[in-house]
Amino acid sequence: MRINFLNGIGQFMIVVAAMATCSHASADGDIDLSQWTMKWNDEFDYSNDDLDKNWISQNGPTENEWVLSSRWRDNAVVKDGVLYLLSKKESRGGQDWTTGNVWTKETFGYGYYEARMKYAGAYGTNNSFWLWPKQGVGEGDKACEIDINEGHFPNIINTNVHNWTDTYTLPSGRVTHDDDQLHHTLHGSPDHKVDLKRPVYTRKVRLTSNNPASIHVSEFRVVAAEPGEGYSKGDNLAVLEGTDIETNGVFEELPSKSVYAIDGRENTRWVSKKHGPKWLELSWDKEVPVSQIEFRNGWLQEYGASKGEYRNLISDYNIEYHDGSQWVSVAKYHAKEVADYSEQWHRYGLEWDEDYFRFYFDGELFYEMRNNVCFSDTTILLSLAILKADIAGPVTEAIDGTSMKVDWVRYYTKRQ
């Protein structure tokens, strides 16, 4: 996919290379449903009133400290064979937003779970298909949460397995627990390249983003348009001696430094702080001639079903240079142009047994992990939430009226 950008005064033509890829599994990794028996399903092919036959709805405020929305039965609506979980900008239950949340009356065990869904089409929303023992945790069992997908607009898949029983205290005093949170981006490319139609002369270049998760940048390059003091045409100006770099900070749980984005090595990377706006800015003590800006982002998975593929690809960015008085944009990118899961139906699946969790996208395996915590019956939940702290991106009025949509939910057990 090649996207052409022309700024408002027609001065630069920018080409961004961001090829869409989705080669996350081979045919060997497909789920073969002929080997499974469907034991339970809901196709939502009934009137709205009948939703309550299979599902229970939250009616009241949400106690989770990260959730800004109270959730109500009014926000869960069945229409034309689809369940809509609606977001509304309204003060109710002591919170400024409302959304929908439902869970099954039945409980389930090992098997294959799958839902066909669309995300709400705005940053700030958490579109969830997950498992949690709403019926309570039996004696000796773990309080286990399996997030098949906590999806973030436009195309981020979040998987996680939480062990909420065995908590521990960090040196900071914060009480935490074991989990396996991963942000998967199955469409897109790690490489982005911006070619300027004509060179610019500047002392500052920056990248800004509202990416919901941390940004992972292994290399950020600024290419010289012509020779200068200490460099030749085509050299990477980012590695010039004396280049200053500033960022919004680093994610403390990974070995990361801001300078890793411009150290000339692809086996290191800058990982930004997790929440809030993200940015990276380079500056020089004198003007440099720039013809091209390029970067590689994400992290390369080195294990499991998706070994050799990139994760945490950036969802949006704005690249700018400073003209001496103001910042001038030369390229903008949004991953919804590559894949927009709020406009596209996709299937999100989990195969769960006593040994493994295997996560599927449209029937193809993209991630697996060992099961050492979840062994007891659970409940299926579907929920839309609005999250604070930019966890899912900035919360704006654009959320109002959007909805997470569910076409169907199905549960299978393996044939003997």
Side-chain angles (χ1 to χ4, degrees):
M1 179 177 179
R2 295 181 69 83
I3 308 172
N4 293 323
F5 296 93
L6 191 63
N7 78 348
I9 58 174
Q11 188 176 6
F12 308 107
M13 178 66 73
I14 309 302
V15 179
V16 177
M19 300 304 297
T21 61
C22 193
S23 58
H24 48 272
S26 67
D28 293 338
D30 295 353
I31 188 76
D32 181 5
L33 291 179
S34 69
Q35 304 302 310
W36 298 78
T37 300
M38 187 161 62
K39 291 292 188 178
W40 184 93
N41 66 301
D42 196 331
E43 309 294 316
F44 303 109
D45 53 355
Y46 44 71
S47 69
N48 183 54
D49 290 341
D50 288 337
L51 178 68
D52 303 311
K53 293 180 179 180
N54 288 336
W55 303 85
I56 300 170
S57 296
Q58 178 176 324
N59 272 294
T62 304
E63 295 180 357
N64 188 308
E65 62 177 324
W66 300 107
V67 177
L68 295 172
S69 54
S70 59
R71 290 184 277 204
W72 307 86
R73 173 63 173 88
D74 298 348
N75 294 68
V77 177
V78 175
K79 181 181 178 181
D80 299 328
V82 174
L83 171 64
Y84 294 81
L85 300 180
L86 306 172
S87 59
K88 300 177 184 178
K89 184 69 170 71
E90 57 180 351
S91 296
R92 192 177 180 188
Q95 294 175 285
D96 292 333
W97 292 87
T98 63
T99 53
N101 184 22
V102 297
W103 58 90
T104 55
K105 293 183 176 180
E106 290 192 43
T107 59
F108 308 89
Y110 299 141
Y112 180 68
Y113 298 77
E114 190 171 70
R116 188 171 186 257
M117 296 168 39
K118 286 183 180 180
Y119 294 179
Y123 278 138
T125 58
N126 197 60
N127 304 262
S128 299
F129 171 38
W130 55 300
L131 308 179
W132 170 253
K134 293 288 286 188
Q135 76 284 0
V137 179
E139 185 176 353
D141 292 332
K142 306 291 187 183
C144 177
E145 175 186 338
I146 308 173
D147 298 319
I148 301 172
N149 184 19
E150 289 189 286
H152 296 165
F153 175 80
N155 58 29
I156 297 173
I157 299 172
N158 288 286
T159 61
N160 207 341
V161 176
H162 298 264
N163 174 3
W164 289 102
T165 296
D166 301 320
T167 61
Y168 53 92
T169 303
L170 297 174
S172 65
R174 183 169 69 91
V175 177
T176 188
H177 64 282
D178 288 333
D179 63 9
D180 184 70
Q181 184 176 13
L182 289 176
H183 306 278
H184 307 274
T185 40
L186 305 182
H187 292 91
S189 169
D191 297 308
H192 291 255
K193 181 179 178 182
V194 178
D195 290 311
L196 280 65
K197 187 176 181 181
R198 291 189 293 274
V200 300
Y201 298 84
T202 184
R203 295 175 63 177
K204 294 181 180 180
V205 169
R206 74 179 181 187
L207 175 150
T208 60
S209 176
N210 289 313
N211 193 72
S214 294
I215 292 176
H216 296 237
V217 176
S218 58
E219 278 301 300
F220 191 91
R221 295 172 48 85
V222 180
V223 178
E226 58 191 47
E229 185 178 342
Y231 57 87
S232 301
K233 180 179 179 180
D235 281 355
N236 178 16
L237 299 168
V239 298
L240 281 181
E241 185 176 353
T243 301
D244 287 329
I245 181 169
E246 295 184 5
T247 69
N248 69 298
V250 299
F251 182 49
E252 295 84 358
E253 295 180 26
L254 291 174
S256 171
K257 296 180 181 179
S258 296
V259 72
Y260 287 170
I262 58 168
D263 64 359
R265 298 188 298 164
E266 292 197 5
N267 62 343
T268 61
R269 66 185 191 271
W270 164 61
V271 185
S272 74
K273 283 188 175 180
K274 196 171 183 179
H275 306 315
K278 284 83 179 176
W279 52 274
L280 178 157
E281 181 179 320
L282 301 186
S283 60
W284 300 268
D285 58 5
K286 61 181 66 176
E287 283 191 345
V288 292
V290 178
S291 64
Q292 186 181 92
I293 299 167
E294 58 187 41
F295 67 94
R296 169 164 287 188
N297 79 108
W299 56 270
L300 186 63
Q301 190 158 308
E302 298 178 351
Y303 55 88
S306 51
K307 181 178 180 180
E309 297 183 19
Y310 276 84
R311 293 289 183 264
N312 282 79
L313 299 180
I314 198 167
S315 65
D316 70 89
Y317 62 74
N318 185 16
I319 291 180
E320 303 166 288
Y321 76 96
H322 201 272
D323 69 359
S325 60
Q326 63 183 348
W327 288 101
V328 179
S329 177
V330 294
K332 291 185 177 182
Y333 167 83
H334 203 296
K336 69 180 180 181
E337 304 298 332
V338 176
D340 184 348
Y341 294 176
S342 72
E343 294 291 336
Q344 304 158 358
W345 289 108
H346 289 291
R347 293 157 33 226
Y348 304 90
L350 168 74
E351 181 183 353
W352 169 35
D353 60 36
E354 63 181 353
D355 296 315
Y356 282 96
F357 306 101
R358 296 182 176 91
F359 296 87
Y360 293 81
F361 177 80
D362 288 337
E364 296 182 17
L365 179 68
F366 69 89
Y367 178 62
E368 65 183 2
M369 62 174 287
R370 293 285 303 187
N371 177 17
N372 54 20
V373 64
C374 299
F375 307 107
S376 55
D377 285 355
T378 190
T379 309
I380 299 173
L381 296 96
L382 302 166
S383 59
L384 177 63
I386 298 170
L387 303 182
K388 71 177 185 180
D390 283 355
I391 292 173
V395 174
T396 69
E397 299 295 316
I399 296 172
D400 190 22
T402 62
S403 62
M404 170 181 154
K405 304 167 185 67
V406 185
D407 187 20
W408 45 255
V409 183
R410 297 168 183 169
Y411 167 68
Y412 302 79
T413 57
K414 200 72 174 282
R415 290 185 179 177
Q416 300 300 319

